[in-house]
Amino acid sequence: MSEWNQGLREEIKSRAGSLTDKVTEIRRDFHRNPERSKREERTSDIVAQHLESLGIEVKRCTGNYGVIGTLRCASDGKTVGLRADMDALKLQEETGLPFASQVDGVMHACGHDAHTAMLMGVAKTLVSVKDKLKGNVRFLFQPSEEAFPGGALGMIEEGAMEDPHVDAVFAWHVMSNLPQGQVGLRTGQIIGGVTAVNIHVKGVGGHFSSPHLAVDPIVIAANVLVALQSVMTRQVDPMESAVLTFGTISGGTRDNVIGQEVIIRGNLGAMNDQLRYQLSEGIEGCARSVAESMGGSAEVKLWHGYPTTENEAGMTEFTHRIMLEELGEESVVEMDRVLGGEDFSYFLQKAPGALLRLGVWDMDKHSEPTHHHHPEFDLDERALPMGVDLLAQVAARYLLVD
Ligand SMILES: [Zn+2]
Ligand SMILES: [Zn+2]
């Protein structure tokens, strides 16, 4: 018989609710004092002190400011992992909020301040009911989500998903185009992976009037760009999604000189990691052979970013049932898929779980949603207590329900 019951559900709800002011205050403090990726010194200190004050075992990850907390409940059982990312972005805030960033050129413009504050609230909530829970809760406060190679891998290498082994893992990501009061869920591939592509086309310089004595890298680059669009249409299953965009191209020095080289930089995104790796090879081969066929050469550098984030079906369904019970059908929507990159994917490769979207669009204040990674990014703090309650419910139910 399930040890999950209405009394515990109500208790979690009221404990989470009682933390509203505190969680909001913590979020505003982080917002005022943002720290860029791999520099989350103050934030991780505050998190570690908070967990320690609650009696949670704390392990600091060396070097990259990660905080791993382990709450051992009344009896043995499963272990649930909960993750929050803590880093801010290199961006000048223009919100005009009373608690706007006090650090020049750095801003919490993705909501990671809210993720961290909410997970601190979840920790306090779960500690207060730990005698009624079994198993363990692993808190994963992660640095550097925004900057590749990200903080998740380092934490995993330092044992974040073991001892005790984490059986399932969940995280919130706030969503500025989802109205406050709603949550977004989706099974399967939700955030695609990205590969950075850098093509260095080399030719032989010369006088504009004597192209036969030179190898023009600009004409080669033009052919490479066109040929690569064919790679994207001819090597991708039409039922799959992938995108190749070149954001910069540079070469040449003046109008009457054939230059020596052209550098083209872009990003390849795909939902399917295998497809992305295959396309990377296709891009490299195509660029090289086109350049060589025209008497030049092309050096292709590829940087594979985070793998695709994939929500496991069973765990997504589990959270879906809870959200429906707590919020009702009209507030639980299917989230959009994006080709953006998110290193929670590494945790999901170690344990089944789900990344959940929390709506933070304040429709009373903004007629159009603000954008993530934008100087005017804003979030509705009324979503914070809901985020604390729901994530605590997911964790507690996972531990208690067989
Ligand atoms: Zn972001
Ligand atoms: Zn983010």
Side-chain angles (χ1 to χ4, degrees):
M1 199 184 92
S2 165
E3 290 165 68
W4 178 251
N5 57 54
Q6 190 60 23
L8 185 52
R9 177 185 172 191
E10 293 302 330
E11 189 173 353
I12 288 175
K13 197 177 283 300
S14 95
R15 298 250 185 205
S18 72
L19 298 174
T20 303
D21 290 349
K22 189 72 200 160
V23 170
T24 306
E25 190 186 304
I26 294 171
R27 184 257 157 172
R28 291 183 177 192
D29 175 59
F30 288 148
H31 196 85
R32 246 183 233 112
N33 300 281
E35 293 174 301
R36 284 171 58 191
S37 311
K38 303 195 191 83
R39 298 176 193 183
E40 304 87 342
E41 192 174 353
R42 177 182 183 274
T43 310
S44 62
D45 276 348
I46 291 171
V47 167
Q49 281 160 18
H50 175 74
L51 298 185
E52 273 160 6
S53 77
L54 294 170
I56 292 172
E57 282 174 41
V58 171
K59 181 179 156 191
R60 302 292 296 265
C61 289
T62 51
N64 63 356
Y65 306 123
V67 182
I68 301 171
T70 307
L71 170 64
R72 295 180 200 275
C73 301
S75 56
D76 290 345
K78 298 182 282 189
T79 297
V80 63
L82 304 173
R83 177 270 209 167
D85 40 12
M86 303 186 286
D87 54 333
L89 290 152
K90 194 178 168 189
L91 205 70
Q92 185 65 43
E93 179 159 354
E94 293 171 16
T95 59
L97 289 166
F99 53 88
S101 172
Q102 293 174 351
V103 184
D104 211 27
V106 185
M107 176 191 179
H108 267 295
C110 202
H112 299 186
D113 48 348
H115 302 166
T116 307
M118 285 192 292
L119 192 54
M120 289 168 72
V122 171
K124 193 162 169 66
T125 303
L126 292 176
V127 164
S128 67
V129 295
K130 73 171 181 176
D131 292 342
K132 294 168 186 166
L133 301 177
K134 56 185 184 182
N136 312 293
V137 186
R138 169 61 50 78
F139 296 97
L140 304 159
F141 287 92
Q142 183 208 307
S144 190
E145 189 281 324
E146 300 282 8
F148 185 73
L153 263 187
M155 289 183 75
I156 292 167
E157 278 161 13
E158 293 194 43
M161 296 296 275
E162 297 302 330
D163 191 27
H165 173 72
V166 176
D167 299 294
V169 64
F170 301 96
W172 277 128
H173 202 301
V174 298
M175 207 62 207
S176 67
N177 62 359
L178 190 65
Q180 185 272 327
Q182 294 188 6
V183 294
L185 298 173
R186 190 184 189 108
T187 297
Q189 296 166 338
I190 54 162
I191 303 173
V194 177
T195 294
V197 182
N198 189 336
I199 303 173
H200 192 166
V201 176
K202 294 175 184 165
V204 178
H207 196 276
F208 89 95
S209 62
S210 307
H212 57 296
L213 301 177
V215 176
D216 187 345
I218 288 186
V219 175
I220 296 176
N223 279 276
V224 166
L225 285 176
V226 172
L228 291 180
Q229 298 309 311
S230 296
V231 171
M232 298 306 289
T233 62
R234 300 297 86 187
Q235 293 185 23
V236 178
D237 178 341
M239 304 313 286
E240 295 266 13
S241 50
V243 60
L244 175 66
T245 298
F246 289 101
T248 72
I249 175 164
S250 58
T253 52
R254 55 172 298 164
D255 56 359
N256 65 351
V257 172
I258 294 174
Q260 300 273 10
E261 60 179 23
V262 173
I263 294 170
I264 313 165
R265 290 201 181 94
N267 271 199
L268 167 69
M271 264 301 160
N272 179 328
D273 286 330
Q274 216 46 50
L275 171 64
R276 183 161 53 91
Y277 301 143
Q278 276 169 22
L279 283 172
S280 301
E281 283 177 23
I283 287 166
E284 185 167 9
C286 175
R288 275 198 186 148
S289 54
V290 168
E292 282 164 16
S293 74
M294 298 180 73
S297 66
E299 196 179 301
V300 180
K301 288 199 178 123
L302 302 161
W303 290 272
H304 296 303
Y306 304 146
T308 294
T309 305
E310 195 156 355
N311 280 349
E312 196 265 345
M315 289 297 109
T316 310
E317 176 52 31
F318 166 74
T319 55
H320 192 229
R321 281 199 303 273
I322 296 173
M323 303 294 164
L324 283 181
E325 269 176 46
E326 298 296 327
L327 305 174
E329 215 168 303
E330 65 287 350
S331 299
V332 182
V333 302
E334 183 164 49
M335 70 163 86
D336 293 336
R337 303 199 310 161
V338 288
L339 290 175
E342 158 66 69
D343 75 346
F344 185 61
S345 51
Y346 290 116
F347 292 115
L348 287 174
Q349 286 179 342
K350 293 288 170 189
L355 181 77
L356 314 164
R357 299 283 201 197
L358 182 67
V360 291
W361 177 10
D362 184 344
M363 296 176 87
D364 303 328
K365 190 171 166 191
H366 303 285
S367 56
E368 294 293 324
T370 60
H371 297 291
H372 287 255
H373 293 206
H374 188 277
E376 290 172 21
F377 173 80
D378 189 19
L379 63 82
D380 189 339
E381 290 176 327
R382 288 175 295 178
L384 299 176
M386 192 173 117
V388 174
D389 173 37
L390 291 174
L391 196 57
Q393 305 258 8
V394 164
R397 285 210 217 184
Y398 177 80
L399 294 178
L400 290 175
V401 178
D402 293 327

